[in-house]
Amino acid sequence: MIPRYARPEMVSIWSQEKKFEIWKDIECAVALAMADENLIPQEDANNIVNKAGFDIEEIDNLEKTLKHDVLAFLTSMSRHIGESARFLHQGMTSSDVLDTCLSIQLKQSTILLHEGLERLLKALKKQAFAHKDTICIGRSHGIHAEPITFGFKMAGFYAEFMRNKERLDNAQKEISTASISGAVGTFAHLPPTIEENVAKRLDLTFETHSTQVIPRDRHAVFFSTLGIIASSIERLSVEIRHLQRTELLEAEEYFSKGQKGSSAMPHKRNPVLTENLTGLARIVRSYVIPAMENVSLWHERDISHSSVERFIGPDATITLDFALHRAADVIENLIVYPENMEQNLNLLKGLTHSQNILLALTQQGVSREDAYSMVQKNAMQIWHDRSTCFEDLVKKDPDITTYLTHNDIEKIFSIKNHTKNIDFIFNRIFK
């Protein structure tokens, strides 16, 4: 994580102080759960909760000798609690604390990611409705295909990020588990009811089967979901980058007063934000493979996953959180050029209606192969000579006018043929 691409709200979840606060909450929850079942005196459980504290500098110094972060923490916490600390961490193992803490941090991170998603969805919806009827050209392979509207384009991204929202909901459920099952996960020293009690106190579900760690397939799902969301951000970013190209200039990132586009060329207005988002998406996706590789641990546990998660936990969530809000900012302030969209739409002099002619001919009894040849013969002329328009060529072609009248052809070239279902599509997406 680097500060340039981080929001303080998400960074705080992964701070050392926050981590130790969560560890303390877990230990206190276990003590209270044990008291509920008369495994330790209620008075001692209360003492643990009321006196619990820690000193970060002390923990750091202890770890230099102990070479064990959880034991260093427990030593510091015990010094605050006093005699009742003999019941601290009873029947537990380090992974009970570490894994349950990670679950809480990932869950809290997901809440912030949801906020970013909601902001982006709101911006996409606003642009979709603002430009529902703004005609532009749809492209396949980067080449003019058939007319669409810019709102239709934005609505498609809205639908994609709604799917991402659902994926994130599922990933949050997947990761929100607590494990208080002790060494190798057999509950040999604490009954399973303690885990259920603690999970409820921490607003988590209990793990159905932990070894000595929470199974890492859960984490693989979580980070894979983040990778998919990042890929959607990149797709949105690449679209804007293409539309901002000088030859198109159909949409553009907002260029603020005083902003500079190039150190050498004063005229430049570069899509720097969406280029940045493309790069950030690559970073988030790069954490998916390590998360998947963490699934295969030795026997009931090893710690090969630990160092990986110390990186990817904060880095993936912090980076994606930043990217979501940057993407929302881009869409909220997006500059749209309908006049350029119309100009680009007309570059090929009506060629984008070719399929309508093809289908109309087949409706009049012409074979698809013959109809395709008739239309393509005229279409290819436009690619080389745009002094005339496609509609005029079609009207002059006796092979076509044998089957279609001039009035038929004029109706076929109406833009409404391509936009007649936009309202239906919007109703289906936005309900």
Side-chain angles (χ1 to χ4, degrees), residues 294-311:
N294 276 354
V295 174
S296 300
L297 302 180
W298 285 18
H299 304 299
E300 279 59 59
R301 84 120 7 162
D302 67 50
I303 63 165
S304 59
H305 64 290
S306 176
S307 56
V308 174
E309 289 168 356
R310 289 175 192 264
F311 280 101

Side-chain angles (χ1 to χ4, degrees), residues 415-431:
I415 204 75
K416 293 180 180 179
N417 293 319
H418 297 278
T419 61
K420 60 188 177 185
N421 290 313
I422 294 296
D423 283 337
F424 172 82
I425 294 168
F426 266 60
N427 288 334
R428 190 161 62 179
I429 292 174
F430 298 104
K431 302 189 191 306

Side-chain angles (χ1 to χ4, degrees), residues 198-211:
V198 170
K200 185 175 182 180
R201 290 176 183 274
L202 299 176
D203 197 24
L204 301 171
T205 59
F206 57 86
E207 183 56 60
T208 53
H209 183 285
S210 58
T211 52

Side-chain angles (χ1 to χ4, degrees), residues 278-385:
T278 298
L280 294 180
R282 294 170 184 168
I283 294 296
V284 176
R285 272 198 309 273
S286 73
Y287 296 133
V288 176
I289 295 299
M292 289 184 173
E293 291 175 340
N294 276 354
V295 174
S296 300
L297 302 180
W298 285 18
H299 304 299
E300 279 59 59
R301 84 120 7 162
D302 67 50
I303 63 165
S304 59
H305 64 290
S306 176
S307 56
V308 174
E309 289 168 356
R310 289 175 192 264
F311 280 101
I312 69 175
D315 282 12
T317 53
I318 289 171
T319 304
L320 185 60
D321 174 66
F322 178 88
L324 283 168
H325 283 275
R326 170 154 287 182
D329 186 62
V330 168
I331 300 302
E332 287 167 355
N333 297 289
L334 190 67
I335 303 172
V336 180
Y337 297 104
E339 64 279 7
N340 290 348
M341 292 178 180
E342 183 178 3
Q343 182 177 331
N344 291 334
L345 178 69
N346 296 323
L347 279 177
L348 294 182
K349 305 293 185 178
L351 276 190
T352 53
H353 297 280
S354 68
Q355 183 176 188
N356 290 343
I357 298 291
L358 166 67
L359 296 178
L361 287 169
T362 62
Q363 290 293 318
Q364 295 302 315
V366 183
S367 72
R368 184 177 180 85
E369 291 75 16
D370 289 344
Y372 197 104
S373 295
M374 291 180 194
V375 176
Q376 188 180 44
K377 177 186 67 174
N378 290 283
M380 290 303 103
Q381 293 185 50
I382 301 295
W383 281 102
H384 302 294
D385 179 13

Side-chain angles (χ1 to χ4, degrees), residues 1-12 14 276 280 314-315 317-323 325-326:
M1 184 277 296
I2 58 175
R4 184 181 182 92
Y5 306 124
R7 296 190 327 121
E9 299 92 331
M10 185 66 87
V11 171
S12 67
W14 298 98
N276 169 252
L280 294 180
D315 282 12
T317 53
I318 289 171
T319 304
L320 185 60
D321 174 66
F322 178 88
H325 283 275
R326 170 154 287 182

Side-chain angles (χ1 to χ4, degrees), residues 125-258:
K125 182 177 181 179
K126 184 177 181 179
Q127 291 287 10
F129 278 93
H131 295 284
K132 187 177 74 167
D133 301 315
T134 303
I135 306 296
C136 64
I137 187 65
R139 299 172 174 89
S140 58
H141 305 276
I143 308 301
H144 283 207
E146 293 190 351
I148 60 172
T149 73
F150 189 70
F152 170 82
K153 189 189 292 283
M154 292 291 101
F157 284 109
Y158 178 90
E160 181 171 345
F161 280 99
M162 280 298 292
R163 294 193 296 274
N164 283 325
K165 182 182 175 182
E166 184 176 351
R167 292 180 184 117
L168 191 60
D169 286 337
N170 292 331
Q172 180 176 329
K173 293 175 185 175
E174 185 87 32
I175 207 64
S176 298
T177 62
S179 176
I180 309 293
S181 53
V184 301
T186 59
F187 299 103
H189 308 288
L190 279 178
T193 49
I194 297 297
E195 182 182 66
E196 295 175 13
N197 187 314
V198 170
K200 185 175 182 180
R201 290 176 183 274
L202 299 176
D203 197 24
L204 301 171
T205 59
F206 57 86
E207 183 56 60
T208 53
H209 183 285
S210 58
T211 52
Q212 190 164 318
V213 295
I214 292 175
R216 257 46 193 181
D217 61 288
R218 293 186 180 276
H219 303 74
V221 168
F222 182 85
F223 288 103
S224 295
T225 300
L226 301 195
I228 292 169
I229 297 172
S231 293
S232 294
I233 291 174
E234 182 177 15
R235 190 175 85 86
L236 176 61
S237 300
V238 168
E239 181 69 27
I240 294 167
R241 290 168 60 192
H242 277 306
L243 295 178
Q244 187 165 334
R245 288 159 51 209
T246 308
E247 295 81 3
L248 273 63
L249 198 56
E250 294 183 4
E252 181 184 32
E253 291 179 12
Y254 177 69
F255 198 80
S256 61
K257 185 178 180 180

